[in-house]
Amino acid sequence: MSRSTEGVEDRIVAKTVDLAEIPIIDFSPFRHGGEAGKRAVAAEIARACTEIGFFYLKGHDVPPKVLGDTFDQSKAFFHRPVEERRASAATLQWYRGWIPMPKREGALDRNSRLFEQYRIQADFPDVPNPDPIFNRPNRWPEDMPAFRDACETHYAAMLALSRDLLRAFAIGLDVAEDTFDGYFDLPICQLSLLYYIPIPEGSDVEVSNTVSHTDEGPLTILAQDSVGGLEVKRRDGTWISAPPVPGAYTINIGDMMMWWSNGKFISNFHRVRNKAGVERFSIPFFLNPDRDTIVAPLPELVARDGGVANFEPVHVATHLKRFYARLEKSPGDFL
């Protein structure tokens, strides 16, 4: 998570609105419809990224089995006894694997983190790098080989889809289609398996599973189960629900794409409130560039905006390490 809202935002109840508020975009013409199809889909995506920063993506060509296997393995893992989950727990020195909910006392509040996570990141064994954050092998449950297989297959599918989405973003911004290609040679992406408990009945209105926030990277590809609970903030300040759409991924813009676009694309606030009374599972894939990439407004877009760059350049690894610095100050909240 990156930028976070003040507590007052989390006292606003989300409205249930027509799904047209978050457009459903068919990606098939981008891949199979020639140049005209590419440009038509890119225009739809650009419109969504400009207006709300979220859209649903169908026609993505990811086999249903890839997603189904990952959800099955996620449920199998989170339903294991705590001691078995703890065998693959993350540490501050090796921040991959299972991350439990923090231990808290007293009443729940907006900062209560009501979910567990299994964190999987890019793994580059042939790249010499002592940094424990960006180049450590992933932890895996040793007695669940199908868990690793499903997660690695899912990760590869999401990375491939992300590369096509980046090209769609470039066309939608009216810059060269390959503009972003060179920033993702060894991308430091992350796949998270998330398990949300139901918010207890009678909790204060500001209590959520995840506090309202934006994402740090260029984009996030989210697979939701059928329970729902994702909420999105519109440009007018209204919060709306973003329920799952069968067969579609939920895509959102993160801070880095907003910076690259010089603010044309919006990195929007979102949160999760699981009020369904049952457990919820989701699987977000966070795309991140190569660790030494400098993200800054694209020169072509700065020129169109009268030479004004609306954001300062940011070094990717430095930016992402800010989150880990928080862990070092208060590890008990996360581990």
Side-chain angles (χ1 to χ4, degrees):
M1 296 189 297
S2 184
R3 296 175 293 137
S4 180
T5 55
E6 297 298 328
V8 64
E9 285 285 356
D10 290 307
R11 303 196 69 83
I12 301 173
V13 177
K15 297 179 179 180
T16 300
V17 296
D18 189 277
L19 270 179
E21 289 276 343
I22 301 175
I24 301 174
I25 298 174
D26 184 357
F27 204 52
S28 295
F30 186 87
R31 285 179 165 160
H32 311 297
E35 190 63 26
K38 276 188 175 183
R39 296 204 168 274
V41 172
E44 288 186 75
I45 289 176
R47 189 177 306 113
C49 294
T50 300
E51 293 177 353
I52 195 168
F54 274 77
F55 59 93
Y56 296 105
L57 192 74
K58 65 178 184 177
H60 43 68
D61 292 344
V62 178
K65 178 175 170 52
V66 171
L67 183 58
D69 287 351
T70 313
F71 268 121
D72 288 346
Q73 291 301 315
S74 178
K75 292 175 184 178
F77 177 83
F78 287 113
H79 287 163
R80 305 188 98 185
V82 171
E83 287 306 315
E84 293 183 17
R85 281 175 278 166
R86 187 172 290 126
S88 52
T91 68
L92 292 179
Q93 294 73 37
W94 191 351
Y95 201 61
R96 302 178 186 216
W98 178 60
I99 304 171
M101 283 184 286
K103 296 179 180 179
R104 295 191 182 276
E105 298 179 357
L108 299 173
D109 58 29
R110 75 177 294 267
N111 294 313
S112 300
R113 191 175 65 84
L114 303 180
F115 69 96
E116 297 180 24
Q117 176 181 184
Y118 202 101
R119 180 186 296 262
I120 300 153
Q121 293 178 228
D123 194 350
F124 305 120
D126 298 327
V127 177
N129 179 358
D131 194 320
I133 294 175
F134 297 122
N135 193 29
R136 293 293 301 271
N138 285 307
R139 292 180 183 273
W140 302 105
E142 292 183 1
D143 58 344
M144 294 182 69
F147 180 94
R148 177 173 182 171
D149 290 344
C151 291
E152 290 184 334
T153 300
H154 192 130
Y155 185 106
M158 294 301 97
L159 182 55
L161 178 57
S162 295
R163 294 189 187 281
D164 281 348
L165 283 168
L166 289 169
R167 288 182 161 249
F169 290 161
I171 295 171
L173 290 168
D174 196 21
V175 297
E177 183 178 338
D178 62 355
T179 292
F180 299 112
D181 288 5
Y183 300 119
F184 295 87
D185 293 327
L186 294 174
I188 49 176
C189 308
Q190 177 181 309
L191 182 72
S192 290
L193 310 183
L194 301 179
Y195 169 70
Y196 298 93
I197 66 168
I199 295 175
E201 289 189 16
S203 297
D204 190 85
V205 67
E206 71 175 1
V207 175
S208 59
N209 295 87
T210 60
V211 69
S212 52
H213 65 282
T214 62
D215 293 340
E216 290 112 334
L219 67 92
T220 302
I221 302 175
L222 173 67
Q224 303 190 62
D225 69 3
S226 61
V227 173
L230 176 65
E231 299 176 351
V232 176
K233 184 181 178 183
R234 295 193 304 196
R235 278 190 179 272
D236 66 3
T238 305
W239 281 89
I240 64 174
S241 59
V245 173
Y249 287 101
T250 309
I251 313 293
N252 70 273
I253 295 299
D255 294 346
M256 292 182 193
M257 186 55 66
M258 182 170 67
W259 301 337
W260 263 326
S261 72
N262 206 30
K264 180 176 180 180
F265 289 176
I266 180 174
S267 173
N268 209 350
F269 288 97
H270 51 285
R271 66 194 180 200
V272 173
R273 286 182 167 173
N274 178 14
K275 296 184 177 180
V278 296
E279 61 188 8
R280 175 184 187 262
F281 296 86
S282 73
I283 308 170
F285 175 82
F286 301 98
L287 180 72
N288 289 311
D290 300 343
R291 55 173 296 165
D292 288 322
T293 295
I294 303 297
V295 176
L298 296 174
E300 304 97 315
L301 303 185
V302 172
R304 292 177 208 164
D305 291 337
V308 178
N310 295 320
F311 303 96
E312 295 293 324
V314 172
H315 181 261
V316 167
T318 302
H319 175 67
L320 293 178
K321 280 186 176 182
R322 292 189 308 165
F323 176 76
Y324 295 95
R326 288 169 48 208
L327 297 183
E328 293 175 1
K329 292 179 181 178
S330 186
D333 286 350
F334 295 85
L335 301 181

mmCIF file of all heavy atoms in Angstrom, residues 20-38:
data_model
loop_
_atom_site.group_PDB
_atom_site.id
_atom_site.type_symbol
_atom_site.label_atom_id
_atom_site.label_comp_id
_atom_site.label_asym_id
_atom_site.label_seq_id
_atom_site.Cartn_x
_atom_site.Cartn_y
_atom_site.Cartn_z
ATOM 1 N N ALA A 20 -21.744 -0.154 -14.509
ATOM 2 C CA ALA A 20 -21.189 0.717 -15.536
ATOM 3 C C ALA A 20 -20.270 1.778 -14.952
ATOM 4 O O ALA A 20 -19.485 2.399 -15.666
ATOM 5 C CB ALA A 20 -22.325 1.386 -16.325
ATOM 6 N N GLU A 21 -20.366 2.014 -13.646
ATOM 7 C CA GLU A 21 -19.461 2.966 -12.997
ATOM 8 C C GLU A 21 -18.004 2.527 -13.174
ATOM 9 O O GLU A 21 -17.106 3.351 -13.248
ATOM 10 C CB GLU A 21 -19.788 3.072 -11.509
ATOM 11 C CG GLU A 21 -21.091 3.776 -11.198
ATOM 12 C CD GLU A 21 -20.930 5.276 -11.171
ATOM 13 O OE1 GLU A 21 -19.787 5.745 -11.067
ATOM 14 O OE2 GLU A 21 -21.960 5.976 -11.257
ATOM 15 N N ILE A 22 -17.785 1.223 -13.190
ATOM 16 C CA ILE A 22 -16.461 0.664 -13.461
ATOM 17 C C ILE A 22 -16.607 -0.166 -14.723
ATOM 18 O O ILE A 22 -17.220 -1.233 -14.703
ATOM 19 C CB ILE A 22 -15.949 -0.190 -12.284
ATOM 20 C CG1 ILE A 22 -15.879 0.651 -11.005
ATOM 21 C CG2 ILE A 22 -14.577 -0.774 -12.614
ATOM 22 C CD1 ILE A 22 -15.489 -0.130 -9.772
ATOM 23 N N PRO A 23 -16.073 0.282 -15.849
ATOM 24 C CA PRO A 23 -16.364 -0.374 -17.132
ATOM 25 C C PRO A 23 -15.784 -1.781 -17.228
ATOM 26 O O PRO A 23 -14.751 -2.095 -16.655
ATOM 27 C CB PRO A 23 -15.716 0.557 -18.154
ATOM 28 C CG PRO A 23 -14.685 1.315 -17.395
ATOM 29 C CD PRO A 23 -15.230 1.474 -16.002
ATOM 30 N N ILE A 24 -16.503 -2.617 -17.975
ATOM 31 C CA ILE A 24 -16.034 -3.958 -18.309
ATOM 32 C C ILE A 24 -15.470 -3.895 -19.727
ATOM 33 O O ILE A 24 -16.192 -3.556 -20.668
ATOM 34 C CB ILE A 24 -17.172 -4.984 -18.232
ATOM 35 C CG1 ILE A 24 -17.779 -5.002 -16.821
ATOM 36 C CG2 ILE A 24 -16.663 -6.373 -18.609
ATOM 37 C CD1 ILE A 24 -19.017 -5.888 -16.696
ATOM 38 N N ILE A 25 -14.202 -4.193 -19.879
ATOM 39 C CA ILE A 25 -13.515 -4.048 -21.164
ATOM 40 C C ILE A 25 -13.081 -5.417 -21.669
ATOM 41 O O ILE A 25 -12.469 -6.202 -20.930
ATOM 42 C CB ILE A 25 -12.295 -3.117 -21.020
ATOM 43 C CG1 ILE A 25 -12.757 -1.714 -20.599
ATOM 44 C CG2 ILE A 25 -11.500 -3.046 -22.330
ATOM 45 C CD1 ILE A 25 -11.618 -0.748 -20.293
ATOM 46 N N ASP A 26 -13.406 -5.691 -22.906
ATOM 47 C CA ASP A 26 -13.010 -6.940 -23.559
ATOM 48 C C ASP A 26 -11.634 -6.741 -24.191
ATOM 49 O O ASP A 26 -11.463 -5.908 -25.079
ATOM 50 C CB ASP A 26 -14.040 -7.313 -24.624
ATOM 51 C CG ASP A 26 -13.747 -8.662 -25.275
ATOM 52 O OD1 ASP A 26 -12.722 -9.294 -24.952
ATOM 53 O OD2 ASP A 26 -14.564 -9.086 -26.123
ATOM 54 N N PHE A 27 -10.654 -7.527 -23.727
ATOM 55 C CA PHE A 27 -9.277 -7.369 -24.201
ATOM 56 C C PHE A 27 -8.998 -8.140 -25.482
ATOM 57 O O PHE A 27 -7.952 -7.966 -26.101
ATOM 58 C CB PHE A 27 -8.315 -7.821 -23.095
ATOM 59 C CG PHE A 27 -6.941 -7.208 -23.175
ATOM 60 C CD1 PHE A 27 -6.772 -5.839 -23.262
ATOM 61 C CD2 PHE A 27 -5.807 -8.006 -23.148
ATOM 62 C CE1 PHE A 27 -5.504 -5.260 -23.318
ATOM 63 C CE2 PHE A 27 -4.532 -7.450 -23.207
ATOM 64 C CZ PHE A 27 -4.384 -6.071 -23.292
ATOM 65 N N SER A 28 -9.937 -8.994 -25.890
ATOM 66 C CA SER A 28 -9.694 -9.831 -27.073
ATOM 67 C C SER A 28 -9.316 -9.027 -28.316
ATOM 68 O O SER A 28 -8.364 -9.404 -29.030
ATOM 69 C CB SER A 28 -10.927 -10.688 -27.374
ATOM 70 O OG SER A 28 -11.169 -11.602 -26.333
ATOM 71 N N PRO A 29 -10.014 -7.918 -28.639
ATOM 72 C CA PRO A 29 -9.641 -7.179 -29.850
ATOM 73 C C PRO A 29 -8.231 -6.605 -29.800
ATOM 74 O O PRO A 29 -7.612 -6.399 -30.850
ATOM 75 C CB PRO A 29 -10.690 -6.057 -29.911
ATOM 76 C CG PRO A 29 -11.848 -6.581 -29.149
ATOM 77 C CD PRO A 29 -11.243 -7.391 -28.045
ATOM 78 N N PHE A 30 -7.709 -6.370 -28.599
ATOM 79 C CA PHE A 30 -6.348 -5.838 -28.504
ATOM 80 C C PHE A 30 -5.350 -6.864 -29.009
ATOM 81 O O PHE A 30 -4.376 -6.529 -29.683
ATOM 82 C CB PHE A 30 -6.015 -5.448 -27.070
ATOM 83 C CG PHE A 30 -4.670 -4.762 -26.923
ATOM 84 C CD1 PHE A 30 -4.562 -3.395 -27.074
ATOM 85 C CD2 PHE A 30 -3.515 -5.492 -26.656
ATOM 86 C CE1 PHE A 30 -3.332 -2.748 -26.960
ATOM 87 C CE2 PHE A 30 -2.280 -4.871 -26.551
ATOM 88 C CZ PHE A 30 -2.192 -3.486 -26.700
ATOM 89 N N ARG A 31 -5.604 -8.127 -28.696
ATOM 90 C CA ARG A 31 -4.672 -9.187 -29.091
ATOM 91 C C ARG A 31 -4.990 -9.777 -30.455
ATOM 92 O O ARG A 31 -4.108 -10.262 -31.144
ATOM 93 C CB ARG A 31 -4.693 -10.291 -28.036
ATOM 94 C CG ARG A 31 -3.953 -9.929 -26.750
ATOM 95 C CD ARG A 31 -4.050 -11.048 -25.754
ATOM 96 N NE ARG A 31 -3.085 -10.889 -24.663
ATOM 97 C CZ ARG A 31 -3.207 -11.488 -23.484
ATOM 98 N NH1 ARG A 31 -4.250 -12.263 -23.252
ATOM 99 N NH2 ARG A 31 -2.295 -11.311 -22.549
ATOM 100 N N HIS A 32 -6.245 -9.739 -30.843
ATOM 101 C CA HIS A 32 -6.648 -10.482 -32.043
ATOM 102 C C HIS A 32 -7.359 -9.619 -33.081
ATOM 103 O O HIS A 32 -7.796 -10.153 -34.093
ATOM 104 C CB HIS A 32 -7.567 -11.643 -31.644
ATOM 105 C CG HIS A 32 -7.046 -12.476 -30.515
ATOM 106 N ND1 HIS A 32 -5.872 -13.204 -30.593
ATOM 107 C CD2 HIS A 32 -7.516 -12.679 -29.255
ATOM 108 C CE1 HIS A 32 -5.659 -13.830 -29.441
ATOM 109 N NE2 HIS A 32 -6.641 -13.524 -28.615
ATOM 110 N N GLY A 33 -7.476 -8.330 -32.863
ATOM 111 C CA GLY A 33 -8.261 -7.484 -33.757
ATOM 112 C C GLY A 33 -7.464 -6.530 -34.608
ATOM 113 O O GLY A 33 -8.024 -5.552 -35.121
ATOM 114 N N GLY A 34 -6.152 -6.787 -34.757
ATOM 115 C CA GLY A 34 -5.336 -5.921 -35.587
ATOM 116 C C GLY A 34 -5.127 -4.548 -34.970
ATOM 117 O O GLY A 34 -5.444 -4.305 -33.802
ATOM 118 N N GLU A 35 -4.603 -3.632 -35.780
ATOM 119 C CA GLU A 35 -4.275 -2.296 -35.280
ATOM 120 C C GLU A 35 -5.529 -1.552 -34.828
ATOM 121 O O GLU A 35 -5.509 -0.849 -33.811
ATOM 122 C CB GLU A 35 -3.556 -1.498 -36.371
ATOM 123 C CG GLU A 35 -2.957 -0.188 -35.881
ATOM 124 C CD GLU A 35 -1.870 -0.392 -34.823
ATOM 125 O OE1 GLU A 35 -1.238 -1.470 -34.802
ATOM 126 O OE2 GLU A 35 -1.663 0.542 -34.016
ATOM 127 N N ALA A 36 -6.613 -1.694 -35.568
ATOM 128 C CA ALA A 36 -7.850 -1.013 -35.184
ATOM 129 C C ALA A 36 -8.360 -1.521 -33.838
ATOM 130 O O ALA A 36 -8.820 -0.745 -32.994
ATOM 131 C CB ALA A 36 -8.912 -1.206 -36.261
ATOM 132 N N GLY A 37 -8.280 -2.845 -33.629
ATOM 133 C CA GLY A 37 -8.699 -3.413 -32.363
ATOM 134 C C GLY A 37 -7.849 -2.922 -31.211
ATOM 135 O O GLY A 37 -8.363 -2.604 -30.131
ATOM 136 N N LYS A 38 -6.554 -2.868 -31.431
ATOM 137 C CA LYS A 38 -5.650 -2.357 -30.393
ATOM 138 C C LYS A 38 -6.034 -0.954 -29.959
ATOM 139 O O LYS A 38 -6.132 -0.638 -28.775
ATOM 140 C CB LYS A 38 -4.202 -2.344 -30.912
ATOM 141 C CG LYS A 38 -3.457 -3.652 -30.781
ATOM 142 C CD LYS A 38 -2.000 -3.447 -31.140
ATOM 143 C CE LYS A 38 -1.191 -4.708 -30.894
ATOM 144 N NZ LYS A 38 0.242 -4.511 -31.166
#
